[in-house]
Amino acid sequence: MVSASDRATNSGNDSGKGPKAAVGKGSEPNPARTSVWLDRRTSSRTRRTESPAGLDRNRITEASVRLLDAEGLAKFSMRRLAAELDVTAMSLYWYVDTKDDLLELALDSVYAEIAPPREDADWRDRLRELARSYRELLVRHIWISPLAGTFLNIGPNSVLFSSAVMDVIRATGLPLERQTGALAAVFQFVYGFGTVEGHFKARCDATGLTQDAYHRHAMGTIRAQPHLRAIVESSDDLMAARGGDTVEEMRERDFVFALDLLIAGIEAKCDRITGSATTAAHRGKQPQPPR
């Protein structure tokens, strides 16, 4: 997830790694062309009757997601997508201007898979539900992690997710100046955790091994190296205490505990603020923000 401040920062991305503003007349880029969701221009392609029958943006977006899931971000191209849809590459330009448009549409479409949290639940449970859903999304679609901070993320599904997250953060009782920090602590942790988990799973799938078999093979290879064996053996007690019979169980225990730590931190900060306010009220002073 990308916050509003992150979106503002990313809107000026011209590093060559992210989307670029469309080039209009002359050689100057169009600064308004920062997102497919902000594109309100009337298409110059007026001969819509010549567009392929049955082709529309939704079908193109769905095919893009299937291809990205199956082949990854590096292999994705307009030509490959056109072949998947059995149309010419030029046919796609009736509906989008660039490959970045397709990636942005695909990115937002998968955010629809995140179910809204229960409205009647405590903020802690709602935060856990959103964090888990976001983690699962990152594992299910590993291509979204490099795109999440590249685009503005202002599509309808992304905005709904961001709004749900902000509602939960507001419900914590943290003062306004602390809320974005809490959001970053939780969801940047989930982003990193889910990204690593997704890539590990993809690596295992590519080798044809289960995650447990791959882990055993990797650890056996490391232990066979004298200069690495001591490092692994020094953490044997830590791994034994970690618990869990499978890689997925061990990972789940780590995720739940780490998220509980973050929630406990938010609770502790709120308690400290409440205590400071109570003390200040007794003294007739304004409470000072905690540092």
Side-chain angles (χ1 to χ4, degrees):
M1 195 200 79
V2 180
S3 67
S5 59
D6 292 329
R7 292 193 187 104
T9 301
N10 289 330
S11 66
N13 184 347
D14 61 357
S15 65
K17 296 181 180 179
K20 296 186 177 180
V23 177
K25 294 180 179 180
S27 58
E28 292 299 318
N30 176 5
R33 187 66 177 89
T34 55
S35 169
V36 69
W37 303 106
L38 298 177
D39 188 357
R40 295 294 182 268
R41 295 172 300 159
T42 301
S43 175
S44 61
R45 306 177 184 93
T46 57
R47 296 179 298 164
R48 286 282 176 180
T49 54
E50 296 182 11
S51 61
L55 195 62
D56 56 35
R57 257 196 181 184
N58 287 338
R59 185 182 169 202
I60 291 171
T61 301
E62 291 169 359
S64 296
V65 171
R66 289 198 305 272
L67 268 184
L68 288 163
D69 285 344
E71 300 181 359
L73 189 58
K75 294 182 179 179
F76 184 77
S77 68
M78 299 287 271
R79 182 172 297 179
R80 179 68 187 87
L81 177 61
E84 176 74 10
L85 291 166
D86 195 24
V87 299
T88 65
M90 288 304 298
S91 300
L92 300 176
Y93 291 103
W94 289 89
Y95 304 95
V96 294
D97 287 336
T98 67
K99 184 176 81 170
D100 284 333
D101 286 351
L102 289 173
L103 293 175
E104 195 174 5
L105 290 167
L107 175 64
D108 186 72
S109 72
V110 297
Y111 273 89
E113 298 172 18
I114 298 179
R118 295 166 294 159
E119 294 183 2
D120 59 345
D122 180 78
W123 69 261
R124 298 161 187 81
D125 293 330
R126 284 188 285 156
L127 186 56
R128 289 187 178 96
E129 289 173 14
L130 285 170
R132 179 170 296 282
S133 293
Y134 187 43
R135 170 195 169 194
E136 292 171 352
L137 186 76
L138 289 161
V139 174
R140 194 160 52 243
H141 307 290
I142 63 171
W143 50 271
I144 74 173
S145 57
L147 298 182
T150 298
F151 296 105
L152 291 178
N153 289 13
I154 55 174
N157 297 309
S158 178
V159 168
L160 283 175
F161 175 53
S162 295
S163 297
V165 169
M166 290 308 304
D167 285 345
V168 173
I169 295 299
R170 290 188 189 97
T172 63
L174 287 169
L176 286 174
E177 67 272 16
R178 298 289 185 260
Q179 290 180 10
T180 55
L183 184 153
V186 174
F187 284 94
Q188 289 189 25
F189 150 70
V190 178
Y191 173 88
F193 195 101
T195 296
V196 172
E197 180 181 0
H199 283 284
F200 179 78
K201 182 178 182 300
R203 178 66 180 271
C204 295
D205 291 344
T207 62
L209 298 173
T210 66
Q211 294 185 54
D212 294 326
Y214 184 91
H215 181 261
R216 287 193 298 270
H217 176 74
M219 295 305 294
T221 300
I222 292 172
R223 289 179 185 277
Q225 305 298 315
H227 64 292
L228 297 176
R229 186 187 307 123
I231 298 174
V232 175
E233 290 176 348
S234 67
S235 61
D236 280 346
D237 57 342
L238 178 65
M239 297 301 293
R242 185 186 193 186
D245 296 325
T246 67
V247 170
E248 291 185 350
E249 288 178 2
M250 290 187 288
R251 189 187 294 119
E252 179 67 12
R253 287 177 179 231
D254 288 345
F255 180 81
V256 169
F257 183 68
L259 186 56
D260 283 346
L261 282 179
L262 291 169
I263 291 174
I266 294 173
E267 291 174 327
K269 185 64 72 174
C270 288
D271 289 344
R272 183 178 175 187
I273 292 167
T274 302
S276 297
T278 302
T279 301
H282 284 306
R283 296 177 179 175
K285 298 179 180 179
Q286 290 294 323
Q288 296 297 315
R291 300 187 181 279

